[in-house]
Amino acid sequence: MGMSKKERHKYLMSVIADNPFLKDEELSGLCGVSVSTIRNDRAELGIAEYRERVKSAAEGELLSNEKKEELLDLQLYENGISVLETDDTMLFHNTDTVKSQCIYALAENLALSVINAEAALVKVANVKYIAKVHAGEKLVAKSKVIRKLGGEFIVHVFITVDLKEVFRGKFSLEVLTEGSI
């Protein structure tokens, strides 16, 4: 026997708070109900559809990280270093693990900074999360521009905690608007 509607609603709220990137199909599998039931539940609970959740999470994390992120060194079109002091606001619900989107946002922000772009399209991002990050740990991100061809760049970003790599990413970016750093 599955969960009651009340239990399912509580579970949906919790699991989506932890991971806004889950699609309705994945949620239906987790709850053991149909996709249409999940859509009805989301409507009743006021939970946005997948695309809106992803957009909202990305915008919210970028804004919150910008306040705590510090750019230490920047050689435009070459390399850069930034740090982020993690805190409890960045954790998955009821865990001590920093959300992956916070780490990704740090990497993407540094990649945008090093190519002097106010706006750029991430055409491809190949990322790897190597180890968990916990509140209070300081993330140190280092970027290096690998290639520039016209308005397109390949940027590598490595993030460490206490000199141990926790994230690496390779970003293919197309500049839409150049910045004024």
Side-chain angles (χ1 to χ4, degrees), residues 17 26-27 56 100 116 124 141 173 178:
E26 295 167 308
L27 293 168
S56 176
S100 53
N116 196 28
V124 177
L173 304 151
E178 288 198 20

Side-chain angles (χ1 to χ4, degrees), residues 153-165:
F153 293 84
I154 303 292
V155 179
H156 284 180
V157 178
F158 299 91
I159 299 177
T160 60
V161 171
D162 295 329
L163 302 176
K164 292 181 184 170
E165 189 174 68

